[in-house]
Amino acid sequence: MKSRLTILALLLFIVGGAIFLESCRKTPAQPRTTATPFVVPAGFPSPTFNFNANPLTEESFQLGRKLFYDGRLSIDGGFPCSSCHEQRAGFTTFEHDRSHGYNHSHTLRNAPSLANMAWFPAFRQDGSGKTIEEVALAHITHPNEMAESMDQIVRKLQGDTAYSRLFTAAYGDNQINSDRILKALTQYVINLVSADSKYDRVKKGTAAFTPEEQSGYAVFQAKCASCHSGELFTDFSYRNIGLEVDDELKDYGRMRVTLKKEDSLKFRVPSLRNVDVTSYYTHDGRYSVFRMMIEHYRTGVNVSATIDPLVKDGIALTNTDENNLVAFLRTLTDSAFINNPRYREQ
């Protein structure tokens, strides 16, 4: 009897072990990722980005950075994400009014900066983008931009040993698909935080404005801060600032999204961080230097049915006011951000 029980116990042990081993084989490998906490700079509001849906890891950031600079995400290899969002220009297009795309085409609008996207409630200058993934996919597949399909991108990247290692590190296996590509790109973009300009150091008490910068800050607070508010220097509202519609582009801004006449010619208030290096200006890049933008508010406002009341009569500035305002705006340049080696192509 005792021997029978021993044999039965042994059989149960063997069967149980086999079941356990089979269940282990069916369980996908879990990546050993390094979580990277998102640090909110002093004075900044809480981010709007859903970190639970795409938890930040160092491995996904590294993958996203490589993808961001990879021309294979475009149909002819000539237009990576970085071709329209250049670090030296605060992640806008360097000295171009509108971005260039595949087959000598142009995009509809001036490329906005990618700084501090974790705080954006919506994306694109008309607010039509709900997530960074959605916007990235639209740029990749648009015929006037990168003009590629996700299926073709996956085929290009398969077999690349560098990507095999990066996808495995980020996701536990080397499977390449569109969801993983877009999430990794998002991780790279979300990490592009600009919060170390001279202005920020003044706020921390580690630097001081010059007299001109201090006077310009006073002008800014009195004349500009209603729209370019807070530490992000935008209230994310959509406003008609008195720009005449371009007869060729016929871009009516927010109205393209809502289809409401009251939204005609309204575009999102841009952040002014790094404004000195993010030329060109306005949604279609019609102004090459930001003094022209200031002059627009002084003397060039075109009044239409949806004009914002704050600029309807222009903004009164003396020449001294303008010079001091320019001096202040230059304190918003974040050299550490523009030159950060972590953001560069590796």
Side-chain angles (χ1 to χ4, degrees):
M1 183 66 178
K2 185 176 181 180
S3 61
R4 289 181 179 179
L5 290 174
T6 301
I7 294 171
L8 180 60
L10 181 60
L11 288 172
L12 289 173
F13 176 78
I14 293 171
V15 172
I19 293 173
F20 175 76
L21 290 173
E22 181 64 21
S23 67
C24 288
R25 281 193 289 269
K26 292 181 179 179
T27 302
Q30 296 298 312
R32 294 182 178 180
T33 54
T34 308
T36 53
F38 187 83
V39 179
V40 178
F44 277 48
S46 297
T48 60
F49 181 72
N50 184 359
F51 293 99
N52 291 327
N54 191 2
L56 301 187
T57 68
E58 178 63 19
E59 292 76 13
S60 290
F61 170 84
Q62 296 291 342
L63 171 59
R65 179 173 60 187
K66 183 172 177 61
L67 290 165
F68 186 83
Y69 287 97
D70 196 334
R72 285 177 289 183
L73 269 63
S74 66
I75 192 169
D76 63 353
F79 297 95
C81 303
S82 59
S83 66
C84 290
H85 298 282
E86 301 176 64
Q87 185 175 3
R88 60 178 171 169
F91 288 94
T92 63
T93 305
F94 182 68
E95 294 186 350
H96 279 282
D97 53 354
R98 292 178 290 129
S99 301
H100 293 184
Y102 172 67
N103 198 27
H104 308 291
S105 58
H106 284 78
T107 59
L108 177 65
R109 296 174 182 155
N110 175 251
S113 171
L114 297 182
N116 300 331
M117 300 293 274
W119 287 271
F120 278 55
F123 305 95
R124 300 195 187 98
Q125 295 176 74
D126 57 14
S128 59
K130 303 306 179 187
T131 66
I132 296 175
E133 289 90 342
E134 172 194 328
V135 174
L137 178 61
H139 288 312
I140 288 170
T141 58
H142 196 288
N144 287 348
E145 298 184 44
M146 298 165 78
E148 187 56 287
S149 71
M150 294 305 298
D151 287 343
Q152 186 60 24
I153 291 171
V154 169
R155 283 192 285 271
K156 291 178 186 178
L157 302 185
Q158 285 174 337
D160 185 313
T161 56
Y163 274 116
S164 180
R165 290 192 297 269
L166 287 168
F167 274 90
T168 299
Y171 297 111
D173 60 64
N174 64 0
Q175 180 185 357
I176 300 175
N177 59 44
S178 59
D179 180 65
R180 288 178 171 184
I181 289 171
L182 295 172
K183 282 187 173 180
L185 282 170
T186 296
Q187 293 240 357
Y188 174 78
V189 171
I190 286 298
N191 274 282
L192 300 178
V193 175
S194 179
D196 192 24
S197 65
K198 181 177 181 179
Y199 164 84
D200 297 299
R201 294 192 295 276
V202 170
K203 286 291 183 178
K204 294 175 183 176
T206 59
F209 287 138
T210 66
E212 292 79 11
E213 292 165 352
Q214 187 65 56
S215 295
Y217 186 38
V219 172
F220 175 83
Q221 289 178 306
K223 307 285 187 176
C224 313
S226 296
C227 301
H228 298 283
S229 58
E231 299 307 291
L232 295 167
F233 289 88
T234 173
D235 64 357
F236 297 107
S237 63
Y238 303 93
R239 298 174 186 261
N240 175 353
I241 61 170
L243 296 169
E244 293 183 356
V245 67
D246 184 289
D247 290 335
E248 180 181 350
L249 299 177
K250 291 181 169 46
D251 186 357
Y252 288 90
R254 183 69 174 160
M255 189 174 75
R256 292 163 58 96
V257 181
T258 66
L259 304 180
K260 297 178 179 179
K261 291 182 179 180
E262 56 266 35
D263 287 330
S264 176
L265 298 174
K266 292 184 178 180
F267 296 87
R268 186 186 63 231
V269 174
S271 171
L272 295 181
R273 283 187 172 272
N274 299 300
V275 68
D276 192 31
V277 300
T278 57
S279 174
Y280 285 28
Y281 305 95
T282 76
H283 63 279
D284 55 13
R286 66 182 67 184
Y287 298 137
S288 57
V289 294
F290 65 82
R291 274 190 183 272
M292 297 173 68
M293 190 77 251
I294 296 172
E295 286 300 318
H296 162 78
Y297 287 119
R298 291 182 70 179
T299 61
V301 173
N302 177 59
V303 177
S304 61
T306 60
I307 187 71
D308 195 284
L310 290 173
V311 299
K312 181 179 181 181
D313 299 321
I315 297 177
L317 295 169
T318 67
N319 290 340
T320 299
D321 287 339
E322 178 176 322
N323 290 334
N324 290 338
L325 180 58
V326 168
F328 166 70
L329 291 174
R330 285 181 172 145
T331 72
L332 301 180
T333 300
D334 184 349
S335 297
F337 175 72
I338 295 168
N339 297 300
N340 192 334
R342 179 168 168 78
Y343 302 149
R344 294 177 192 159
E345 183 176 10
Q346 301 297 301

